[in-house]
């Protein structure tokens, strides 16, 4: 069958201040009618750039230097405008930002229908509502008049799908369509895309960094690295018999339900630096942390001037658990389940409404968070934040960022001593000493994560709270950071609370897992138990939604 | 319905600032140097006469009592009499305010008409000649003082080219002012169907309005350019393009409407600047507006007139901002939800 889309030896260069940079090197791949092709790769691999070129949305600084794109046997160049929406459409990541904030979603769908002559003034509304119904939005008549900010991320992505399918195009390009969505929403969205595109016999290009997702939804996969296509293969073949070393590395680094921490880097963990053995800690109670009936309420908006105040929203609704010294505990759940609120109360960045948190034999919720910041206990509980970039001050070098807790919390004054300690911490976190003078924008994602970790362990904490520390990192970087965290915990005798939405990642680092939903704990157990034999209905749904590839299963099929 | 209640709430919020303004104008005028009673009684007055004048003016009471009197008069619409002319302040403001407002609006209209298209064009073609023109105009607009631009324009267009009428007031003395309805000469002339007066009034207004407009242009053009740039790089514009919408619709309906939100906020601020800049422009063009009136009153320690002027300006300020907020509420469904 003749391919619907043919990308042929496509090369693209970007003008930058440092001259032209080659972003794509002779990239070629084909998409047959009705086929789902996954384009996988880590950030900077050029997977999005190739998609934007297909639809003619390449940034002004970008220039095609070689090759081109053919759609339906004819070059796309010069025809992009007529093809967009009508023949080729696209869905994006971050769906809420991808919709016009000041227009109702119905109007936006109507706009696309009217542009392509599929609806007039009179029937645009009815057709838009029909499309909303097709993407399975409840109460489509009501949602027609909703603004994007009134809808959840998953709903917005459904609206995006409705927009993209409005004119029954033959090719859909999905650029990381579920990044940032919860796993269950992610599964629902992708299932919907699959169902709708199959019904219409459409071809799909799925751009993703998530191998599990690519395995679950694609027929064929194209692997890209630094602007080159390194491998092209049908799904089963790619995962059972990867040819290129990069593909192998990528597959190894993606945590699956059975992978071990050491497997992630293909059995080659980075050389551990020589760490001075930790000082003997004063013995304390065996039970490091006890959370009792913790409640956090937020006032709800609205009610007006004279109306009754609405009941406050309970983000954390009577949570209780215990943690032993040296234990590592995973806190898992979807967005809005209260896991981040719980962790930031334990870290004493937020005050609780009621309940108690006994840390190392002392109830720490009594002290308001503002006062706790100046107490010596502050150094005992530290955090590693989700966004390694945003949690570093852009005007501070790596060394200054790491030195900050030493000055503020540990009260060190002597410059030489601080410098020695910073160097030691950087070495422990695997950050090369020559990078210490750099500023955050000069560091890579993984290096920034290491700065954040070095800063968190600077005060020699007993408990480290890790809030999705690897969710913004590429899988290969995530693999080494996870190994680093695991090693640090064993060598420094810390306890971890690992907050994440990704059960596969949590399992690698934690012995015990707590699953939260709507502010409550729905299940606790060992990581293996929760992942392989979940008891609670919600946990079962959560586990089954995780996209993953299991070479054994693929081999069997 | 929800929108109406939000607008109602916003109007209620405007009340405390108005009260604050009343208190501050009252205190400020009392703090002015110079004793109005002495000024009024005249050079030959002895202590008794001064005391008598003071009692007549109500200045012998303690401040809180004076304030209560002041409030009572305000409620009755009485801003007091001007000490220098003896006429009610309210009446004088009422004749002069429309002159200033007409000029300010004309200046603002001119500035918007130039700055908004310029900003949009500059944003759609960054780095092009129009972008550079925009930058030059913005720099010139902020760096040239209004009295200078005013005199410069008079020199060129009146003195050298002779295109503009003499810069003396709102209407050439050949014409009679139109019957007062709104107090805006152009509109009143149109209402009366008198085209000749309309053109005459418009001709008089061009130079001062352009002078004011050049000053107001800079912030509007800059804001439009910045807001358009960020809107155009927004994800929703990319979506609109990916769905094949026409570039005109993408530009005006998707990008510009979103960019209009910060631009409108800037317009509110610019309007207030213009009220201040008016004072100088009115002097240069002998415009019988509220600005030149205020300067005269200030120099003469005419506290009732100063009080009336400040109050009037502050109220205008509040009303304009209120108006802009209401428009924003109508355009942007998210207003009031973020806080």
């Amino acid at each position: 069958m003749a391919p619907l889309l043919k990308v042929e030896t496509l090369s693209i260069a970007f003008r930058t201040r440092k001259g032209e940079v080659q972003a794509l090197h002779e990239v070629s791949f084909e998409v047959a009618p009705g086929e789902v092709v996954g384009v996988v790769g880590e950030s900077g691999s050029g997977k999005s750039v190739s998609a934007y070129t297909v639809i003619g949305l390449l940034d002004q600084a970008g220039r095609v230097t070689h090759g081109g794109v053919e759609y339906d046997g004819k070059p796309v160049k010069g025809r992009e405008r007529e093809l967009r929406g009508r023949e080729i459409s696209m869905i994006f990541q971050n769906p809420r930002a991808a919709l016009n904030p000041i227009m109702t979603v119905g109007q936006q769908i109507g706009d696309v229908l009217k542009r392509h002559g599929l609806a007039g003034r009179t029937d645009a509304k009815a057709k838009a509502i029909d499309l909303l119904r097709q993407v399975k939005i409840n109460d489509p008549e009501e949602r027609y008049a909703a603004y994007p900010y009134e809808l959840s991320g998953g709903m917005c992505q459904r609206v995006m799908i409705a927009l993209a399918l409005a004119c029954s195009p033959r090719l859909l390009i999905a650029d990381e369509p579920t990044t940032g969505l919860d796993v269950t929403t992610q599964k629902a969205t992708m299932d919907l895309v699959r169902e709708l595109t199959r019904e219409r016999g459409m071809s799909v290009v799925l751009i993703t960094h998530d191998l599990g997702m690519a395995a679950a939804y694609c027929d064929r996969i194209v692997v890209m690295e630094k602007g080159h296509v390194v491998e092209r293969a049908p799904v089963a073949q790619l995962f059972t018999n990867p040819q290129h070393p990069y593909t192998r590395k990528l597959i190894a680094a993606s945590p699956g339900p059975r992978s071990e921490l050491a497997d992630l880097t293909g059995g080659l963990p980075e050389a551990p630096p020589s760490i001075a053995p930790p000082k003997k800690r004063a013995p304390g109670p065996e039970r490091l942390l006890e959370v009792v009936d913790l409640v956090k309420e937020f006032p709800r908006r609205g009610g007006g001037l004279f109306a009754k105040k609405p009941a406050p929203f309970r983000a954390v609704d009577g949570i209780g658990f215990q943690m032993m010294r040296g234990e590592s505990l995973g806190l898992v759940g979807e967005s809005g389940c209260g896991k981040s609120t719980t962790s930031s109360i334990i870290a004493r960045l937020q005050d609780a409404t009621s309940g108690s948190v006994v840390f190392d034999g002392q109830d720490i919720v009594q002290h308001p968070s503002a006062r706790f910041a100046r107490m010596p206990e502050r150094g005992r509980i530290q955090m590693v934040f989700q966004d390694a970039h945003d949690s570093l001050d852009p005007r501070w070098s790596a060394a200054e960022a790491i030195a900050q807790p030493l000055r503020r919390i540990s009260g060190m004054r002597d410059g030489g001593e601080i410098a020695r300690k910073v160097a030691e911490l950087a070495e422990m976190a695997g950050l090369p000493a020559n990078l210490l003078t750099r500023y955050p924008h000069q560091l890579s994602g993984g290096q920034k994560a290491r700065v954040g970790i070095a800063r968190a362990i600077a005060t020699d904490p007993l408990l480290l709270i890790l809030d999705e520390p690897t969710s913004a990192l590429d899988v290969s970087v995530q693999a080494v950071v996870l190994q680093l965290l695991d090693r640090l915990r064993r060598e420094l005798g810390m306890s971890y609370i690992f907050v994440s939405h990704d059960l596969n990642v949590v399992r690698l680092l934690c012995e015990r897992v707590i699953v939260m939903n709507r502010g409550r704990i729905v299940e606790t157990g060992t990581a293996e138990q929760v992942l392989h034999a979940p008891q609670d209905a919600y946990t079962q749904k959560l586990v089954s939604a995780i996209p993953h590839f299991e070479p054994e299963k693929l081999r069997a099929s | 319905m929800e929108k109406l209640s939000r607008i109602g709430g916003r109007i209620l919020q405007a009340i405390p600032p108005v009260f604050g303004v009343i208190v501050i104008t009252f205190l400020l005028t009392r703090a002015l140097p110079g004793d109005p009673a002495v000024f009024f009684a005249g050079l030959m007055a002895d202590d008794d006469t001064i005391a008598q004048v003071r009692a007549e003016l109500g200045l012998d009471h303690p401040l809180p009592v004076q304030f209560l009197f002041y409030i009572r008069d305000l409620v009755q619409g009485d801003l007091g009499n001007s000490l220098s002319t003896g006429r009610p302040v309210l009446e004088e403001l009422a004749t002069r305010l429309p002159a200033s407002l007409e000029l300010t609006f004309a200046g603002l209209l001119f500035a918007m008409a130039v700055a908004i298209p310029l900003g949009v064009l500059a944003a759609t073609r960054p780095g092009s000649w129009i972008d550079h023109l925009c930058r030059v105009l913005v720099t010139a607009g902020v760096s040239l003082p209004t009295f200078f631009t005013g005199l410069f324009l008079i020199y060129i267009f009146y003195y050298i080219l002779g295109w503009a009428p003499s810069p003396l007031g709102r209407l050439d003395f050949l014409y009679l002012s139109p019957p007062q309805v709104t107090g805006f000469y152009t509109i009143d002339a149109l209402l009366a169907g008198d085209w000749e007066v309309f053109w005459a009034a418009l001709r008089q207004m061009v130079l001062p309005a352009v002078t004011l407009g050049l000053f107001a242009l800079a912030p509007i053009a800059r804001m439009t350019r910045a807001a358009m740039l960020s809107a155009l790089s927004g994800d929703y514009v990319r979506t609109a393009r990916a769905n094949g919408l026409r570039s005109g619709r993408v530009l005006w309906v998707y990008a510009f409407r979103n960019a209009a939100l910060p631009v409108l906020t800037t317009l509110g601020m610019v309007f207030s600047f213009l009220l201040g800049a008016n004072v100088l422009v009115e002097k240069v063009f002998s415009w019988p507006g509220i600005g030149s009136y205020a300067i005269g009153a200030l120099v003469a320690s005419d506290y009732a007139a100063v009080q009336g002027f400040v109050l009037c300006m502050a109220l205008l300020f509040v009303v304009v901002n209120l108006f802009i907020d209401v428009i924003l509420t109508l355009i942007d469904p998210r207003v009031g939800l973020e806080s």
Side-chain angles (χ1 to χ4, degrees), chain A residues 52 84 98 100 111 115-116, chain B residues 238-239 241 244 249 254 258:
Chain A
Y52 285 124
R84 272 184 224 157
N100 190 342
D111 252 9
R115 163 67 180 95
H116 297 288
Chain B
R238 186 183 58 187
T239 308
R241 285 200 180 124
R249 191 158 178 87
Y254 283 75
N258 276 288

Side-chain angles (χ1 to χ4, degrees), chain B residues 73-312:
Chain B
D73 291 349
L74 268 187
V75 170
Q76 291 166 352
D78 182 4
L79 289 175
N81 289 346
S82 165
L83 299 185
S84 34
T85 63
R87 294 175 57 208
V89 172
L90 189 67
E91 199 179 288
E92 297 207 309
L93 286 178
T95 55
R96 284 168 165 269
L97 183 62
S100 287
L101 278 183
E102 188 178 25
L103 183 59
T104 310
F105 279 130
L108 197 63
L109 270 180
F110 168 75
M112 282 164 63
V114 175
I116 291 180
L118 195 67
V120 171
L121 282 173
T124 49
R125 298 168 181 75
S128 68
W129 65 269
I130 201 139
D131 192 13
H132 294 303
L133 174 74
C134 180
R135 192 164 306 137
V136 169
L137 262 179
V138 164
T139 317
V142 277
S143 46
L144 297 174
T146 46
F147 64 86
F148 170 78
T149 11
L151 289 174
F152 183 72
L153 288 177
I154 292 175
Y155 179 72
I156 302 263
F157 291 100
Y158 170 66
Y159 182 72
I160 295 192
L161 295 172
W163 293 355
S166 54
L168 294 169
R170 302 178 75 183
L171 210 49
D172 204 304
F173 61 89
L174 289 173
Y175 302 95
L176 287 174
S177 51
Q180 181 161 5
V181 186
T182 57
F184 288 20
Y185 277 11
T186 47
I187 295 179
D188 285 351
L190 279 182
L191 288 176
D194 192 340
W195 285 96
E196 213 174 316
V197 173
F198 171 76
W199 286 119
L202 199 62
R203 273 157 56 87
Q204 288 287 357
M205 208 158 59
V206 170
L207 284 195
V210 167
T211 310
L212 268 184
L214 283 178
F215 171 72
L217 208 133
I220 304 178
R222 261 183 66 154
M223 201 33 149
T224 311
R225 180 176 180 275
M228 273 308 274
L229 273 180
S230 87
L232 282 171
S233 63
D235 285 359
Y236 50 90
V237 166
R238 186 183 58 187
T239 308
R241 285 200 180 124
N243 285 316
L245 295 188
R246 280 178 216 287
S247 45
R249 191 158 178 87
V250 173
L251 186 64
W252 293 108
V253 180
Y254 283 75
F256 184 69
R257 268 202 215 160
N258 276 288
L261 305 170
V263 173
L264 267 174
T265 318
T266 317
L267 273 182
M269 261 156 47
V270 168
F271 185 84
S272 334
F273 292 158
L274 282 191
L275 287 177
N278 244 343
V279 175
L280 287 171
V281 177
E282 282 175 12
K283 272 284 172 219
V284 171
F285 288 93
S286 315
W287 201 262
I290 196 172
S292 32
Y293 175 72
I295 292 189
L298 206 57
V299 170
S301 280
D302 188 346
Y303 77 94
V306 173
Q307 221 166 30
F309 167 76
V310 175
L311 196 60
C312 175

Side-chain angles (χ1 to χ4, degrees), chain A residues 299-310, chain B residues 2 336-337 339:
Chain A
R300 238 189 269 257
R301 261 192 62 87
L305 204 54
F306 304 107
K308 230 179 85 189
K309 273 265 172 219
Chain B
E2 199 198 350
L337 288 178
S339 55

Side-chain angles (χ1 to χ4, degrees), chain A residues 349-424:
Chain A
L349 297 175
Q350 243 181 58
D351 287 320
T353 307
S354 67
S356 67
V357 175
V358 181
F359 174 72
D360 210 12
Q362 192 191 353
D363 187 359
I364 54 170
V365 210
Q366 294 169 354
H367 315 289
S369 56
R371 188 137 53 86
F372 189 79
R374 289 191 300 274
M375 291 169 57
E377 283 80 3
R378 174 70 283 172
R380 312 272 75 145
I381 307 179
Q382 287 288 292
M383 278 190 98
V384 177
F385 299 96
Q386 177 168 16
D387 193 319
H389 181 77
D390 282 354
S391 57
L392 291 176
D393 189 321
R395 289 169 201 285
W396 280 3
S397 69
E400 285 164 333
I402 299 172
Q404 184 68 2
L406 294 175
R407 292 179 207 276
R408 287 274 156 193
I409 300 172
S410 306
M412 285 166 79
R413 291 278 172 273
D414 177 16
E417 197 188 339
I418 290 177
R420 256 195 314 282
K421 180 80 181 160
V422 166
E424 188 189 317

Side-chain angles (χ1 to χ4, degrees), chain A residues 259-264 269-270 272 275 326-329 384 428-429 450 453 457 464 466 469-470 477-496 498 505-512:
Chain A
S259 46
E260 293 298 321
L261 204 48
D263 300 341
L264 293 186
E270 58 177 27
I275 296 182
E327 194 185 353
S328 164
L329 179 74
V384 177
M428 280 159 75
R450 289 176 197 272
I453 292 169
I457 58 175
L464 207 55
L466 306 144
T470 60
V477 183
Q478 166 175 287
V480 281
V481 171
L482 287 177
Q483 288 177 347
L484 168 72
L485 285 170
D486 188 54
R487 204 191 63 208
L488 285 175
R489 179 169 75 94
R490 278 186 278 109
E491 287 175 356
L492 300 179
M494 292 184 287
S495 303
Y496 282 176
F498 192 98
V505 172
V506 169
R507 190 186 63 89
L508 292 172
L509 222 55
C510 304
E511 294 114 28
R512 217 151 54 85

Side-chain angles (χ1 to χ4, degrees), chain A residues 9 29 61 90 98 180 317:
Chain A
T9 58
F29 61 91
M90 205 163 166
D317 192 2

Side-chain angles (χ1 to χ4, degrees), chain A residues 169-213:
Chain A
R170 284 192 284 163
L171 176 66
L172 176 71
I173 302 175
D175 185 7
E176 303 271 8
T178 58
T179 308
L181 299 180
D182 283 323
V183 269
T184 50
T185 320
Q186 187 172 322
K187 182 169 159 43
T189 310
M190 282 313 296
D191 285 350
L192 180 74
V193 168
R194 175 153 68 184
E195 182 190 328
L196 292 174
T197 51
R198 271 196 190 154
E199 267 171 21
R200 292 163 169 75
M202 289 169 61
S203 307
V204 178
V205 175
L206 175 63
I207 298 166
T208 180
H209 67 279
D210 185 341
L211 282 181
M213 175 109 88

